[in-house]
Every structure is written in C-alpha cells, then in structure tokens.
Amino acid sequence: MSNDLWKLETGWLAGYTEDRDLIRRIKRYKKDWSIMADYFKNGSLIGVQFRIPIEQRRSAERMFGVAKNEENQAI
C-alpha cells in the first residue's frame, strides 16, 4: 500500500492512498477533504487522491503516515 502527501497549490495539499481502511476513515471523518481523483484498474478501485486544506497538514501527515513531499511529485 502506498501513501503520499505533497503540496498542491497555495493553501492546499494533495494526498494519495491505496489503503482501503484509510480511504474509509477519510470519507467518514474528514468531510472537508475533497476527492480529486479515483483510480481504477479492471473495474476495481485501486487508489484515491484527496485535496486537503493546508491547516490540516499535521493531521494529514499522521493519517497518511508520511511527511509532506517537497518536490511536488505525486508518486
């Protein structure tokens, strides 16, 4: 399972995860994190990309289990 977190634009972070439990937790508890993209392979969900307010950076780092990627690279 891969998780990644990076700076998207001013005031926003982007996060990508393939962990189904994390996807469920985010959808349940983080209503202000919007889904930017769903990734499918052979009709099955393999990953989700979220748009996260920068004010919730520490919470995002804890949930994703990674520190913010400074190079603006997704994967």
Side-chain angles (χ1 to χ4, degrees):
M1 305 273 171
S2 68
N3 295 333
D4 202 5
L5 192 63
W6 67 96
K7 186 174 181 179
L8 184 61
E9 56 191 31
T10 304
W12 295 97
L13 295 173
Y16 173 80
T17 184
E18 295 176 353
D19 184 354
R20 290 192 179 272
D21 291 331
L22 180 57
I23 293 169
R24 286 187 197 106
R25 277 190 289 144
I26 291 171
K27 285 182 177 181
R28 178 180 293 152
Y29 298 115
K30 301 293 185 179
K31 300 295 184 189
D32 52 343
W33 294 13
S34 58
I35 295 176
M36 291 176 37
D38 292 323
Y39 297 94
F40 292 91
K41 185 173 185 179
N42 298 327
S44 177
L45 181 70
I46 60 166
V48 178
Q49 184 174 341
F50 294 95
R51 183 175 171 156
I52 304 164
I54 195 77
E55 297 84 21
Q56 297 184 19
R57 178 187 56 85
R58 287 179 54 97
S59 175
E61 286 176 351
R62 281 189 228 108
M63 287 187 88
F64 282 82
V66 295
K68 182 175 58 106
N69 188 348
E70 293 293 333
E71 289 122 22
N72 256 356
Q73 296 177 355
I75 299 172

